[in-house]
Amino acid sequence: MFTPYLKRVAVVAGLAMAALSAQATVSPANTFDTIYGANFTNLSSSYSTTFLGGTVASFAAKIDGSAARFSFKPGQDGFLGVGVSPSHGNGRTPGEIDIGETITGSFSRGVLVKNFSVGLLFNGPEYDDVKENAIVSVLYADNTTANFSLIATGNTVALWNGSKTQVTNLSPASISKGGAWSVADPFGNKLVSQVTFGAATGVRGEGKGTNQSDYTLLSITAAVPEPETYAMLLAGLLAIGAAARRKKSS
């Protein structure tokens, strides 16, 4: 039988454990160059913030092109990211980016994306999700586009199809762990106007897994290019315009 003293000890211990558990899955506040998904507004369809000394970053959640809502599920191994839920009804995996769901970030000026990180991207057989596939689409400041993929192929190994890119495992892709990955310099030295995070079918194929290829957005880190970079971009755009005029006149 518990004495009053032991009851107080048990209550204090329980509160301490709860505090530590909550602290373990809370991301830090946004910084000068990094935006954390955990700071997005729950059940909102958009989120905006300013970073890099004045650059406005605006994020939108969508499902099949229609407005959706940001949502969260409990973090694992200390990694809490943002996902998507429909505006009405139930999503396949509320709190993650599923197939057909996207989170798009737009920037008020071109930025150099130095790093992004995602969580809950597993390689299988955990949760019946095999080699989950995160699709990342980018609109560059010169109006060209590109599509990339990040595929979890092992507990601590993932493949990114961009060149000269380093993928680091932050938490193993195994049961109760975070399945968290960091991708450095994903788009090289090209200025980015917009980036979209989506998902594609995993190895098992449509309907053979449970909810394969669902994950969370943990963070995006960017930098403002040096003035000479803007000068080179402007020169390139002017050259393209001049070439187009010459072609039209001929």
Side-chain angles (χ1 to χ4, degrees):
M1 185 175 180
F2 281 117
T3 66
Y5 172 76
L6 290 177
K7 287 182 179 179
R8 289 196 297 271
V9 171
V11 169
V12 171
L15 292 174
M17 291 297 293
L20 288 173
S21 176
Q23 184 178 17
T25 57
V26 173
S27 289
N30 295 339
T31 65
F32 177 81
D33 61 355
T34 301
I35 299 169
Y36 292 94
N39 295 318
F40 286 28
T41 305
N42 190 39
L43 301 183
S44 174
S45 61
S46 62
Y47 172 79
S48 294
T49 189
T50 301
F51 74 144
L52 299 177
T55 301
V56 178
S58 302
F59 295 83
K62 292 188 176 182
I63 297 179
D64 297 325
S66 298
R69 301 179 298 180
F70 298 122
S71 61
F72 299 88
K73 65 186 303 182
Q76 293 187 190
D77 200 25
F79 292 90
L80 177 64
V82 64
V84 178
S85 287
S87 295
H88 303 284
N90 296 318
R92 286 195 297 170
T93 311
E96 295 189 56
I97 303 171
D98 286 280
I99 295 171
E101 300 175 345
T102 59
I103 292 179
T104 297
S106 303
F107 308 105
S108 59
R109 58 176 170 174
V111 300
L112 295 171
V113 177
K114 305 303 294 181
N115 177 282
F116 73 80
S117 59
V118 300
L120 303 182
L121 189 76
F122 293 99
N123 67 298
E126 57 282 335
Y127 312 111
D128 272 341
D129 296 336
V130 179
K131 293 187 178 179
E132 290 192 294
N133 188 355
I135 298 296
V136 183
S137 303
V138 62
L139 171 65
Y140 295 113
D142 62 5
N143 287 322
T144 59
T145 61
N147 295 306
F148 301 91
S149 65
L150 177 67
I151 303 175
T153 58
N155 285 349
T156 58
V157 179
L159 299 179
W160 173 258
N161 65 343
S163 61
K164 297 181 180 179
T165 297
Q166 180 179 354
V167 179
T168 302
N169 179 253
L170 304 177
S171 176
S174 56
I175 294 292
S176 79
K177 295 301 183 180
W181 312 90
S182 170
V183 182
D185 295 319
F187 315 120
N189 291 321
K190 297 196 69 172
L191 295 180
V192 172
S193 294
Q194 186 179 87
V195 59
T196 297
F197 296 88
T201 304
V203 166
R204 287 195 175 188
E206 191 75 31
K208 294 183 180 180
T210 52
N211 282 325
Q212 81 272 21
S213 293
D214 45 9
Y215 64 98
T216 62
L217 174 61
L218 296 177
S219 67
I220 297 179
T221 298
V224 178
E226 298 296 331
E228 55 265 26
T229 302
Y230 278 119
M232 292 176 62
L233 175 62
L234 178 60
L237 292 174
L238 291 174
I240 293 173
R245 287 193 295 272
R246 286 196 298 270
K247 183 177 180 180
K248 184 176 180 181
S249 62
S250 62

